[in-house]
Amino acid sequence: MPPPSELKILSSYLLVPAQLPTIISLQEFTELFPAKLQSSPHIRTLYRDLQSQRNGLVDSVAVEIEDQVQRGKELRRVLARTRRATEGQDYEEEVEIERLLFGSVPNSKGEKHNILSVIDELEGAISQLQSELQLLGEEEASLVASIEKTLDDMSDLRYGRLDNRQLREDVLEGLANLQETCKAKD
């Protein structure tokens, strides 16, 4: 079973439930009036007038639905054209990127890969990945060493074991200078 069309969906949700008899029947409409006026022929005329106005509104909505369906078809056509145009452009961009990265692109001018060229390309990729892994390993070891040194320094600070024996005197001298500056401002 094919999926419902845009026209069918919009019509079933906007047009069918919008008909006045679907919303309120003549009997229900008549019961809204006081008991004395319910037998008046004007109620039926009023209902028919309301129904006529509602039908006009439903007709205008139907025209808008048709317009929307046409705009949707046009948008799908434009999207398909754009997609076809960008697919070719994407391929050209990929070829250009490969050319910049690897020099020449073996498959760009109709050359086909054979098993040996594929193996050569894969071996080259493996060696590049191995060298990148080695560099990453070295960088990781350097970062771990730096973090461990920082942790050791912080541990020494926590327990009062400082490598810089002069630090205590420098801090006290700096505080004394700060106090003198503050007193001079007063």
Side-chain angles (χ1 to χ4, degrees):
M1 182 171 164
S5 67
E6 183 178 11
L7 178 65
K8 184 170 176 97
I9 292 171
L10 290 173
S11 296
S12 64
Y13 285 104
L14 296 176
L15 298 181
V16 174
Q19 300 292 332
L20 188 60
T22 306
I23 298 169
I24 188 169
S25 68
L26 176 60
Q27 181 64 34
E28 293 168 333
F29 184 73
T30 304
E31 290 172 0
L32 293 174
F33 290 91
K36 289 192 232 176
L37 298 174
Q38 288 180 0
S39 61
S40 173
H42 295 297
I43 293 177
R44 173 168 278 197
T45 305
L46 183 60
Y47 182 80
R48 297 292 176 223
D49 183 50
L50 185 58
Q51 189 174 21
S52 173
Q53 290 176 19
R54 190 73 180 179
N55 287 342
L57 180 64
V58 168
D59 290 343
S60 68
V61 169
V63 169
E64 288 295 323
I65 288 173
E66 286 291 329
D67 290 346
Q68 179 61 38
V69 168
Q70 292 304 319
R71 285 192 299 265
K73 287 178 183 177
E74 181 60 30
L75 282 175
R76 282 190 289 279
R77 275 189 238 121
V78 168
L79 179 64
R81 272 188 249 125
T82 305
R83 193 176 292 148
R84 282 192 300 271
T86 58
E87 283 176 357
Q89 183 181 0
D90 288 345
Y91 176 75
E92 291 170 7
E93 289 174 358
E94 288 175 14
V95 168
E96 181 64 20
I97 290 171
E98 286 182 23
R99 189 187 63 72
L100 290 173
L101 289 175
F102 305 113
S104 66
V105 180
N107 202 15
S108 64
K109 294 184 179 170
E111 297 177 19
K112 295 187 177 183
H113 279 293
N114 59 30
I115 191 72
L116 295 176
S117 67
V118 169
I119 290 173
D120 289 340
E121 296 254 347
L122 289 175
E123 287 174 349
I126 289 171
S127 65
Q128 285 179 345
L129 287 173
Q130 287 173 340
S131 65
E132 285 181 33
L133 281 173
Q134 184 179 1
L135 288 173
L136 287 173
E138 292 170 2
E139 186 179 341
E140 175 196 13
S142 170
L143 288 171
V144 166
S146 172
I147 290 171
E148 287 174 352
K149 183 180 180 329
T150 302
L151 286 174
D152 287 343
D153 291 346
M154 293 177 88
S155 176
D156 289 347
L157 182 62
R158 179 177 181 189
Y159 295 112
R161 294 174 295 188
L162 298 175
D163 288 338
N164 187 354
R165 307 268 181 230
Q166 185 66 30
L167 183 62
R168 182 171 195 257
E169 287 79 25
D170 290 344
V171 170
L172 291 173
E173 183 180 316
L175 286 173
N177 286 338
L178 180 62
Q179 285 177 341
E180 288 176 16
T181 303
C182 289
K183 286 179 184 177
K185 296 262 179 181
D186 290 339

